[in-house]
Amino acid sequence: MADKTEKEPRFIPSPMNNQMINYKVYYMSRLEKLIYTLLVFAAGGFVGWVFYGGLFKADGEATLMTYISDAVVICLVGGIAIKVFLPMLRTVLKERRDKALRLQFRDMLENLTASLAAGNTVVDSFVNTRDDLSNQYTNTDYIIIELTEIVSGVHNGYTLEEMLSAFGDRADSEDIQNFSNVIGNCYRMGGDFKSVVRKTRDIISDKMAIEDEVKTKIASNKLQHNVMCLMPIVLVAMLKLSNGSFAENLASFMGVFVTTIAIGIFVGSYFWGRKIIDIR
């Protein structure tokens, strides 16, 4: 049987053979994975208990089977929640990192444009940009790491085209990839660097402005979607805790049957709603 497709590596060697971030994939740190796993498990276990807790009661009193079934439900639903929602959280974290990289990349272009306009060479402009951005960002920020690697590579005999191409290949951003390709071609064949950098900066700034406008317009819809998804859980939990007869009916055979169908519709609606409001 053929092996499954290998996952993208967390780090990719640069031309200088340094391990650099692969932006096409996001790997949680051990602390992140532990925290998010516990949170997702707790949330999933609570939802499972709300809809399926309290089974096998006798005359309204919990039995040993009730406690066993509650534990099984909490573990089962919590495990399913980890399986389903942890990858979604990983995607959210990756998108947050990609956005941070694009914002930092835009600031790099701003400084690079100003340095080229002042008459500096391309290599000196990258050096000056790295030094200027060091006052704005820390050494652990993505753009500082990348600029430091690019400048070090050029000073160690590698071409700017090689260093930018490696950065573009690792970046999960069409804008960065296109910029790396264009700058590489300009550096190799000759071209108007000032114009290329300025136009790239303008295009990226316009795209980010449009994205922010779209997100602002659909922010209320996302909030409504999240509230509508939480309301059934909150309402059922309140009724179950405050009304004993409701809890008993919910734990009956017919209650479990109807609840399972309702949850199926609820989960389908949740993912359908996410797809509708996910405008790119």
Side-chain angles (χ1 to χ4, degrees), residues 131-180:
D131 295 339
D132 292 339
L133 290 180
S134 296
N135 299 322
Q136 182 178 350
Y137 297 107
T138 65
N139 291 332
T140 58
D141 284 312
Y142 307 119
I143 199 63
I144 299 299
I145 295 173
E146 297 298 337
L147 282 173
T148 299
E149 185 70 12
I150 291 171
V151 171
S152 298
V154 172
H155 287 165
N156 281 278
Y158 295 92
T159 65
L160 182 62
E161 181 184 2
E162 288 178 300
M163 302 306 299
L164 286 174
S165 177
F167 178 34
D169 290 340
R170 287 184 290 103
D172 191 21
S173 170
E174 185 179 357
D175 296 322
I176 297 177
Q177 291 171 354
N178 291 338
F179 173 78
S180 301

Side-chain angles (χ1 to χ4, degrees), residues 65-112:
M65 284 300 299
T66 302
Y67 295 119
I68 294 175
S69 65
D70 286 351
V72 170
V73 165
I74 290 173
C75 293
L76 180 61
V77 179
I80 293 174
I82 291 174
K83 190 72 174 178
V84 174
F85 290 101
L86 203 61
M88 294 173 60
L89 281 172
R90 190 178 294 111
T91 300
V92 171
L93 293 173
K94 179 183 178 302
E95 290 176 350
R96 188 182 301 173
R97 183 186 65 184
D98 291 343
K99 182 178 180 180
L101 177 62
R102 288 187 64 200
L103 287 171
Q104 295 171 18
F105 183 72
R106 183 182 63 180
D107 292 339
M108 183 201 81
L109 293 179
E110 293 280 355
N111 283 269
L112 197 59

Side-chain angles (χ1 to χ4, degrees), residues 12 98 147 185 241 254-255:
I12 296 178
D98 291 343
L147 282 173
N185 291 332
L241 293 173
M254 184 56 66

Side-chain angles (χ1 to χ4, degrees), residues 26-43 78 82 86 89-90 93:
Y26 187 91
Y27 283 85
M28 291 185 181
S29 65
R30 291 183 178 179
L31 181 60
E32 281 181 328
K33 195 167 185 177
L34 176 62
I35 292 174
Y36 286 123
T37 298
L38 291 176
L39 288 175
V40 171
F41 179 84
I82 291 174
L86 203 61
L89 281 172
R90 190 178 294 111
L93 293 173

Side-chain angles (χ1 to χ4, degrees), residues 262-277:
I263 289 177
I265 297 173
F266 170 71
V267 172
S269 301
Y270 170 76
F271 285 104
W272 190 18
R274 279 179 56 91
K275 189 173 183 180
I276 290 174
I277 62 177

Side-chain angles (χ1 to χ4, degrees), residues 174-193:
E174 185 179 357
D175 296 322
I176 297 177
Q177 291 171 354
N178 291 338
F179 173 78
S180 301
N181 292 333
V182 171
I183 289 296
N185 291 332
C186 286
Y187 193 75
R188 184 176 66 254
M189 303 173 63
D192 188 353
F193 279 98

